Amino acid sequence: MKNRHEPLFAIGVARRLTGLTERQIRYWETQQLVVPVRTPGNHRLYSQADIDALAWAARLRRRGYRLWDILAMQREQTPAPHVRQDSDAHFRFRRPAVAGSTGAPTGSRADRPVTQDRAKLLEEIERRRAERSDERREKDRD
DNA sequence: CTTCTAACA
DNA sequence: TGTTAGTA
């Protein structure tokens, strides 16, 4: 069973530790990137694994990935190759892969087509990420 | 003072 | 997403 004395952090700490805004952290929770436990007073408490997941997602976002892509990767339990290089290999995501999940966040947008094969999924995610990065470069060159 | 939810510039 | 209101 889990460490009953595992350190937990308030959202303010999570913010300082990840550089994300509390708004983002809370929103990402609605997409179930992380599901912090709550205190009796309903305040969120983040585990180190939660912090790691948030920091991981933050990095991917900076690299141009969409939250949906990140969520899909997390569910496939397969961080992108180049992400593994600079990350400590073992992410302790507590989110189990949901059978039949499309990877699209619940209630956010119409489900996207499912790519059963993990390699193809990652390939498609990377392709779209590259496209968005290119668009951004063209757009910022004014 | 910090965090929470809900709502809207 | 930012931000703010009104709480706990």
Side-chain angles (χ1 to χ4, degrees), chain A residues 55-134:
Chain A
W56 169 70
R59 292 199 57 171
L60 265 50
R61 281 247 48 187
R62 280 179 243 130
R63 301 190 72 144
Y65 287 90
R66 292 298 206 188
L67 185 57
W68 305 295
D69 301 332
I70 298 170
L71 292 168
M73 288 188 270
Q74 183 189 49
R75 288 176 176 128
E76 287 300 313
Q77 230 273 263
T78 306
H82 57 288
V83 173
R84 281 197 156 162
Q85 299 177 357
D86 35 41
S87 63
D88 286 320
H90 37 245
F91 285 99
R92 292 93 69 183
F93 295 127
R94 76 156 75 76
R95 290 284 92 191
V98 180
S101 171
T102 62
T106 304
S108 84
R109 187 164 275 189
D111 289 348
R112 284 177 152 58
V114 182
T115 303
Q116 292 298 325
D117 182 62
R118 179 184 303 173
K120 286 188 177 182
L121 170 65
L122 294 174
E123 186 180 303
E124 186 171 334
I125 287 175
E126 175 53 34
R127 180 173 62 67
R128 291 195 226 171
R129 185 198 68 75
E131 290 177 356
R132 287 192 302 275
S133 292
D134 290 339

Side-chain angles (χ1 to χ4, degrees), chain A residues 4-10 13 37 45-48 50 94:
Chain A
R4 281 173 285 289
H5 295 165
E6 185 183 2
L8 297 173
F9 318 90
V13 178
V37 297
L45 290 179
Y46 300 85
S47 65
Q48 183 57 57
D50 290 330
R94 76 156 75 76

Side-chain angles (χ1 to χ4, degrees), chain A residues 13-77:
Chain A
V13 178
R15 174 176 63 67
R16 294 160 196 160
L17 259 34
T18 65
L20 292 166
T21 64
E22 294 181 8
R23 182 74 168 81
Q24 278 182 304
I25 296 175
R26 294 197 181 100
Y27 177 64
W28 291 4
E29 177 185 341
T30 70
Q31 307 306 296
Q32 297 180 60
L33 174 70
V34 294
V35 183
V37 297
R38 300 290 187 121
T39 66
N42 205 39
H43 284 197
R44 300 174 175 75
L45 290 179
Y46 300 85
S47 65
Q48 183 57 57
D50 290 330
I51 301 299
D52 291 343
L54 289 171
W56 169 70
R59 292 199 57 171
L60 265 50
R61 281 247 48 187
R62 280 179 243 130
R63 301 190 72 144
Y65 287 90
R66 292 298 206 188
L67 185 57
W68 305 295
D69 301 332
I70 298 170
L71 292 168
M73 288 188 270
Q74 183 189 49
R75 288 176 176 128
E76 287 300 313
Q77 230 273 263

